[in-house]
Amino acid sequence: MNADDNLMLWDYAHIRLIDIRHVLFKAGDKPNSYRFPAEGFLYLVRGSAVFRLNGNKHTAERFHILHSGKGGQLDIDWVREELEFYFIFYKASLTLTSGLGVRRLFEKNSPFQRQYEFAPNAPLDLLFQVKKMHRKWLESSLLERIQVKAMLYQFVYEVERQRQANGKDYVKPDLVEQAVRYIQESYSQPITLSSIAEQFNYSVAYVAKQFKNKTGNSLIDFLIRTRIDKAQELLLHTEASLQEIAAGVGYADLSYFIRIFKKTTGVTPGNFKTLAQARVKESDRPKIRLRLSNAGWTERSYIVNEYDNHYQYNREGDSPMYRNTRMSMGAAMLLCLVLMLSACSSGNSSVNSASASTSPAATVQTQTSSPDADPNSLSTRVYKDSQGHEIEIPESPQRIVLQGNSIGDLLALGIEPVGIDRRFIEESVYLDQEKTPAQDIGFPTNLETVVSLEPDLTMLGYAMDKQYEEISKISPTVVFDQNAPLSERLPLIGEIVGKKAEAELLLADYNSKAEAMWNGLRQEGRIAEGETAVVLIYYWDKTMYLMKDGGVPNLLYHPLGYKMSDAVQAIEPAEGAPYIEVSPELMHEMLIGDHLFVMYPADADAEKSFNELLKTALWSTLPAVKSGKVTFVESKWNYDDMLTSSKLLDELPQMMAH
């Protein structure tokens, strides 16, 4: 982001000063971890400290400036000498008159969410300003508060001028990692997608898209999995009642907690505890179990309440912080195990560096360890993945672990992975397609489980943090883009697993059947030339989105299928978002099409809230509703893997007939 864009957004934005606080720590204090309740500056005026902002380590001396967006996590090491600093918190939002270009820039490159730190060239000018602002802020007069707000702009000007003089660049925090930490810290509190988006000052659609792209999973699914994991720990290691456990992991309604627990694990909480106790009694000898699903993130606490800024006001000097940097026993044991495996494998394998090239796949190396061994399983080749890693992988892998949502692609190719994230299959349209159900590797991926499965290839549809480095020590590992269109993704997966020709045949057959389906619907008069369609997806929390992409829209907007109306085509999503949020009062302006397709999850809560919408006058007066051209589609059909896409060709005509 250039300086002019930065200053333009400061000019366009509405700035509200939230708080100015003076903080003092004595030598020997252990400050708590602290999450920025709003956008803000920290100005260190005395002492020095080693601190981490969103995990990035910095060393700060006296007169150091630090800026963070809302939700940024600050950790300060043990205070060795007296430490004094000021917090200046503000809230930035765009005015209603801001144009679309400004709004896109605000969403994508907001300077208010960026982090940076530097030592100013003229620190005393800033010090005098901060002290004066703090003194005025403590005065109760409204006139002084207005004066402080004016002084804030002068302070920002001086900071920006000196930052540019220092040549310091912005660092954009990883939104997904921040959201993961937020959920793991506050899972016991009421959390929604909207509240998380508000916590980090982004739109709901942008947060949802970024989380899905990086993890392959929805943010709400991750929240549920985190809560259920915590509930399992409480069931196994405490005598708390079900009501206490439900409340402790964020579910006030006990019956709903039991339903969601069974939906996630396959058993009720009571049966889970009974089965676990039975397994303990049947064990003849002790076993070492590593619980490493969350080994990459340390648990930290922070203050949350119902108020707008999510923090409690504390008097000067009592800022709530702590940090815990001890490595978990499980993580240490896994590291030892991985290093041993790595050492063993390095002594028994060799990679022909001359065979590595810039092409996606290079020549095959054949190694033979036994006359009776299957030669296909022992042939290897060097493959260059989507992140540029050059890896020696099996020509025809036999034991694949998949991280991501492309399970239907592998099954369509006749590949049964030994390990998957089972949440992507439990609600799928191909639930019964596995001959031998794969082991659940969980989310985040449990490295202990991956080790136990002894894969000869691990495929990552997405990679978080340092996952590649960790998993590649266990088996050959390739990264691919699971969000690429089916026409690009399936041949790529086929190439990785040694079935590229089969993948291309599957795609050709799918395209032929899609043309036949649409030609059949046209011949039956069920779709007219130039007829338009619009797609809406509805969620259990009553949020609705206009869809332009996904498994269902991609089929509907086939060249022989429906057209997208000019009005819908002109509606642009926020930068980085896959679709556009629709409020009930705007349905008539946004859901413009001859035929309306409504996707919804097969969930009791969603069905209940959706039925309420169907009874409203706004819904009943939609043109497509009045003409009877509404088709309801379960949201499980919106995946674009090969198995789901193929089955949708058979199901769509039947759905439209109802």
Side-chain angles (χ1 to χ4, degrees):
M1 183 180 190
N2 61 48
D4 289 341
D5 287 341
N6 177 31
L7 296 176
M8 180 183 70
L9 287 174
W10 272 102
D11 184 39
Y12 272 94
H14 168 70
I15 307 298
R16 182 161 65 93
L17 187 58
I18 302 297
D19 195 9
I20 301 177
R21 300 172 60 185
H22 178 228
V23 181
L24 182 65
F25 288 116
K26 296 180 180 178
D29 285 348
K30 291 184 178 181
N32 290 343
S33 177
Y34 183 71
R35 191 177 291 281
F36 274 61
E39 297 90 339
F41 295 92
L42 182 155
Y43 188 32
L44 180 62
V45 298
R46 183 162 28 129
S48 61
V50 175
F51 61 87
R52 293 173 181 83
L53 183 58
N54 293 322
N56 296 320
K57 187 176 180 179
H58 306 278
T59 300
E61 302 290 339
R62 184 182 57 162
F63 299 140
H64 213 85
I65 286 280
L66 177 151
H67 181 273
S68 173
K70 183 178 181 182
Q73 184 166 292
L74 177 68
D75 297 285
I76 298 179
D77 282 0
W78 185 291
V79 178
R80 293 174 175 78
E81 58 181 314
E82 196 168 63
L83 193 66
E84 180 183 7
F85 56 85
Y86 289 87
F87 277 126
I88 301 174
F89 294 120
Y90 66 92
K91 186 171 184 179
S93 58
L94 289 184
T95 62
L96 296 176
T97 58
S98 300
L100 181 61
V102 174
R103 291 185 176 279
R104 286 181 178 175
L105 188 62
F106 183 86
E107 183 82 32
K108 186 177 181 181
N109 287 311
S110 168
F112 315 113
Q113 281 299 114
R114 304 245 170 188
Q115 67 182 54
Y116 54 85
E117 53 79 29
F118 70 97
N121 296 326
L124 293 182
D125 291 344
L126 290 171
L127 177 62
F128 295 149
Q129 288 189 42
V130 170
K131 286 191 171 184
K132 185 175 181 181
M133 290 168 67
H134 181 246
R135 186 173 62 254
K136 293 288 185 180
W137 181 255
L138 294 178
E139 298 178 14
S140 59
S141 168
L142 181 60
L143 189 60
E144 273 72 21
R145 291 294 178 95
I146 294 174
Q147 184 182 10
V148 174
K149 183 176 180 180
M151 294 169 65
L152 172 64
Y153 281 95
Q154 181 61 33
F155 176 79
V156 169
Y157 164 78
E158 189 62 28
V159 168
E160 183 64 18
R161 185 184 69 80
Q162 296 199 40
R163 185 192 69 80
Q164 292 182 26
N166 274 268
K168 285 288 184 176
D169 292 328
Y170 293 112
V171 175
K172 188 174 183 179
D174 190 301
L175 174 59
V176 175
E177 291 181 5
Q178 286 183 297
V180 166
R181 283 197 296 265
Y182 178 86
I183 289 172
Q184 291 178 335
E185 294 167 355
S186 55
Y187 60 86
S188 62
Q189 304 295 326
I191 296 177
T192 64
L193 183 56
S194 297
S195 70
I196 292 178
E198 191 276 337
Q199 173 70 24
F200 298 105
N201 208 21
Y202 286 100
S203 71
V204 170
Y206 185 77
V207 173
K209 173 66 174 179
Q210 296 301 312
F211 200 93
K212 183 79 172 180
N213 279 353
K214 187 162 186 179
T215 70
N217 189 45
S218 77
L219 188 146
I220 295 302
D221 282 346
F222 176 66
L223 170 62
I224 292 171
R225 183 72 256 182
T226 299
R227 285 173 163 171
I228 298 305
D229 283 348
K230 298 297 182 181
Q232 288 176 323
E233 291 181 12
L234 293 172
L235 285 165
L236 292 176
H237 304 300
T238 73
E239 295 302 319
S241 67
L242 279 183
Q243 183 69 64
E244 291 169 335
I245 291 174
V249 297
Y251 294 109
D253 186 335
L254 178 59
S255 61
Y256 180 75
F257 164 69
I258 294 173
R259 289 201 310 273
I260 202 71
F261 190 99
K262 184 176 181 181
K263 183 177 180 180
T264 305
T265 67
V267 295
T268 64
N271 286 341
F272 171 82
K273 188 167 186 175
T274 301
L275 290 170
Q277 291 172 339
R279 284 196 296 269
V280 171
K281 291 179 181 179
E282 292 171 2
S283 177
D284 294 326
R285 57 184 178 180
K287 297 179 181 179
I288 298 176
R289 294 191 178 274
L290 308 182
R291 297 186 56 81
L292 296 176
S293 293
N294 300 322
W297 295 292
T298 56
E299 299 280 345
R300 293 184 173 94
S301 66
Y302 65 102
I303 294 179
V304 174
N305 64 19
E306 68 274 20
Y307 297 108
D308 175 59
N309 298 300
H310 292 258
Y311 79 103
Q312 296 173 346
Y313 183 86
N314 290 274
R315 295 295 177 185
E316 137 180 342
D318 61 355
S319 178
M321 297 185 178
Y322 93 104
R323 67 183 290 266
N324 180 1
T325 59
R326 292 185 301 171
M327 185 178 187
S328 70
M329 179 63 72
M333 294 175 67
L334 178 68
L335 180 59
C336 293
L337 177 60
V338 165
L339 289 174
M340 286 190 293
L341 290 173
S342 178
C344 292
S345 63
S346 65
N348 295 306
S349 64
S350 62
V351 178
N352 185 353
S353 60
S355 68
S357 69
T358 57
S359 61
T363 57
V364 174
Q365 284 187 337
T366 302
Q367 301 173 352
T368 304
S369 60
S370 167
D372 300 323
D374 179 4
N376 287 331
S377 66
L378 298 174
S379 299
T380 61
R381 58 199 163 99
V382 174
Y383 178 82
K384 187 174 183 178
D385 71 7
S386 64
Q387 291 190 349
H389 307 116
E390 292 188 347
I391 317 101
E392 186 178 22
I393 65 174
E395 186 69 34
S396 299
Q398 304 298 307
R399 297 184 61 79
I400 295 176
V401 169
L402 172 68
Q403 174 176 285
N405 60 11
S406 299
I407 304 159
D409 292 331
L410 287 179
L411 294 178
L413 289 167
I415 300 288
E416 293 233 6
V418 296
I420 58 174
D421 183 347
R422 294 206 66 84
R423 289 166 304 160
F424 289 121
I425 202 169
E426 288 173 352
E427 299 297 328
S428 70
V429 300
Y430 49 86
L431 181 60
D432 58 349
Q433 297 294 306
E434 292 177 290
K435 295 177 182 177
T436 304
Q439 179 78 23
D440 185 12
I441 61 173
F443 177 78
T445 296
N446 188 314
L447 297 183
E448 176 197 4
T449 301
V450 176
V451 170
S452 70
L453 291 172
E454 300 180 351
D456 55 12
L457 178 66
T458 302
M459 298 174 60
L460 305 180
Y462 64 89
M464 293 180 63
D465 201 14
K466 298 182 179 179
Q467 277 190 327
Y468 183 85
E469 288 78 4
E470 295 170 346
I471 297 177
S472 62
K473 294 174 184 176
I474 301 172
S475 76
T477 304
V478 298
V479 183
F480 68 97
D481 182 7
Q482 66 177 17
N483 295 311
L486 177 64
S487 60
E488 300 174 11
R489 187 184 66 249
L490 191 66
L492 181 64
I493 291 177
E495 184 178 11
I496 292 171
V497 301
K499 292 199 173 188
K500 186 174 182 180
E502 291 93 327
E504 291 173 346
L505 285 174
L506 279 173
L507 273 177
D509 183 59
Y510 170 79
N511 291 331
S512 177
K513 289 181 177 178
E515 290 183 9
M517 183 204 73
W518 286 114
N519 283 328
L521 290 175
R522 287 178 177 275
Q523 291 171 7
E524 295 170 10
R526 295 166 66 181
I527 174 174
E529 185 66 33
E531 191 171 0
T532 60
V534 62
V535 185
L536 178 76
I537 190 165
Y538 187 90
Y539 288 108
W540 60 272
D541 60 354
K542 299 185 179 182
T543 55
M544 299 181 290
Y545 299 92
L546 174 64
M547 297 290 292
K548 289 187 175 184
D549 197 8
V552 173
N554 288 345
L555 179 57
L556 292 177
Y557 297 132
H558 185 276
L560 295 175
Y562 291 97
K563 305 300 180 185
M564 188 184 297
S565 69
D566 292 339
V568 172
Q569 186 73 51
I571 302 174
E572 293 290 340
E575 184 70 31
Y579 36 76
I580 305 101
E581 187 167 1
V582 179
S583 58
E585 59 272 14
L586 292 179
M587 287 192 298
H588 281 263
E589 298 179 22
M590 302 177 72
L591 303 183
I592 301 173
D594 299 315
H595 202 124
L596 173 61
F597 287 83
V598 182
M599 291 189 290
Y600 63 93
D603 178 271
D605 293 327
E607 184 177 350
K608 179 181 177 181
S609 59
F610 187 54
N611 285 334
E612 295 174 1
L613 175 67
L614 297 182
K615 297 174 184 177
T616 64
L618 285 170
W619 175 266
S620 60
T621 55
L622 284 171
V625 175
K626 292 173 69 175
S627 63
K629 291 188 176 182
V630 180
T631 298
F632 295 96
V633 183
E634 287 189 36
S635 56
K636 65 182 180 182
W637 290 103
N638 202 42
Y639 289 100
D640 73 338
D641 62 88
M642 178 49 78
L643 271 189
T644 303
S645 299
S646 297
K647 288 177 177 291
L648 184 58
L649 291 178
D650 297 325
E651 294 293 329
L652 184 62
Q654 299 180 41
M655 295 174 186
M656 293 173 59
H658 296 304

